[in-house]
């Protein structure tokens, strides 16, 4: 029986599950291909038979990675927005955090998952994630008193998408960020002034 390195069996299982997901993410990011269960188990430091306690098949593992990647992205963006002091700061946090995640390779991982994951899992998770991402942005734009909230949210997302293409093509994070902030600053200044006055 493998040695348990946590205070409870549940904590041990959660840690092992996390290690397997992280190993699969790393291999996907490195190779752009679905990892074998053998390789994932080896990367996580587990015997292959132990992996079957967590995932029944490679497809089961890929689905779990999809379900892990997208909610974590949304949660990180929401946390950054919540930490901002003003509505304008929330909008900037939305853009900046998306850029940071793209720089860290999360977008590339999501793209790989879209290519290799089975069925409609990724498409459905992607739609859900984008909806979750838009909700705090839409609410922030309402607080700013923006009259065309859905359209403005889409325009801000267009800046995020353009920035993601630049970053993935080799533009460094700070250059992309300075450009995006420069584009958004006049809009946010005007919106802040109108909301305050």
């Amino acid at each position: 029986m493998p040695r348990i390195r946590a205070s409870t069996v549940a904590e041990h299982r959660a840690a092992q599950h996390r290690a397997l997901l992280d190993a699969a993410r790393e291999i996907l990011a490195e190779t752009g291909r679905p990892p074998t269960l053998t390789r994932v188990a080896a990367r996580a430091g587990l015997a292959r038979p132990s992996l079957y306690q967590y995932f029944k098949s490679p497809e089961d593992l890929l689905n779990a990675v999809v379900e892990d990647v997208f909610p974590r992205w949304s949660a990180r963006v929401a946390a950054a927005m919540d930490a901002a002091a003003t509505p304008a700061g929330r909008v900037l946090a939305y853009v900046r955090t998306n850029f940071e995640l793209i720089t860290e390779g999360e977008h590339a991982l999501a793209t790989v998952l879209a290519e290799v994951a089975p069925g409609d899992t990724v498409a459905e998770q992607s739609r859900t994630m984008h909806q979750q991402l838009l909700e705090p942005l839409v609410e922030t734009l309402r607080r700013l008193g923006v009259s065309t909230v859905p359209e403005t949210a889409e325009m801000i997302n267009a800046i995020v998408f353009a920035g993601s293409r630049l970053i993935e093509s080799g533009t460094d994070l700070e250059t992309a960020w300075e450009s995006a902030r420069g584009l958004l600053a006049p809009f946010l200044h005007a919106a802040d002034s109108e909301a305050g006055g």
Side-chain angles (χ1 to χ4, degrees):
M1 182 171 190
R3 186 173 170 181
I4 294 177
R5 298 186 186 110
S7 52
T8 67
V9 172
E11 287 175 9
H12 173 75
R13 287 188 58 77
Q16 298 287 68
H17 188 263
R18 178 79 260 152
L20 291 165
L21 286 175
D22 289 343
R25 286 165 56 101
E26 289 168 11
I27 295 167
L28 270 165
E30 291 165 12
T31 66
R33 296 194 317 270
T36 65
L37 295 181
T38 301
R39 192 165 178 195
V40 171
R43 176 74 62 101
L46 291 174
R48 188 169 186 250
S50 298
L51 184 143
Y52 287 103
Q53 296 175 27
Y54 302 91
F55 304 107
K56 306 277 187 262
S57 66
E59 293 76 19
D60 189 27
L61 174 61
L62 270 180
N63 283 333
V65 173
V66 170
E67 291 170 7
D68 183 58
V69 167
F70 292 136
R72 286 172 59 167
W73 184 306
S74 299
R76 183 152 156 204
V77 172
M81 291 179 75
D82 288 346
T86 65
R90 285 174 58 82
V91 173
L92 292 174
Y94 175 87
V95 175
R96 171 77 191 200
T97 308
N98 273 293
F99 282 3
E100 288 171 354
L101 285 157
I102 292 158
T103 301
E104 293 164 15
E106 290 295 298
H107 188 258
L109 178 60
T111 302
V112 168
L113 281 169
E115 293 169 3
V116 302
D120 295 326
T121 303
V122 174
E124 184 56 39
Q125 286 285 338
S126 183
R127 278 191 293 275
T128 301
M129 184 196 84
H130 284 106
Q131 190 55 44
Q132 288 172 346
L133 276 176
L134 275 180
E135 287 169 9
L137 179 61
V138 164
E139 178 55 34
T140 299
L141 293 173
R142 282 197 185 104
R143 276 199 254 164
L144 280 166
V146 172
S147 59
T148 54
V149 169
E151 295 80 5
T152 303
E154 287 300 323
M155 294 295 278
I156 291 168
N157 267 334
I159 291 173
V160 171
F161 295 145
S164 74
R165 285 194 302 275
L166 287 170
I167 290 166
E168 289 178 339
S169 298
T171 302
D172 68 275
L173 169 64
E174 294 307 323
T175 300
W177 167 238
E178 286 306 317
S179 178
R181 189 166 61 177
L183 286 169
L184 287 168
F187 158 70
L188 291 171
H189 178 72
D192 250 350
S193 298
E194 287 176 24

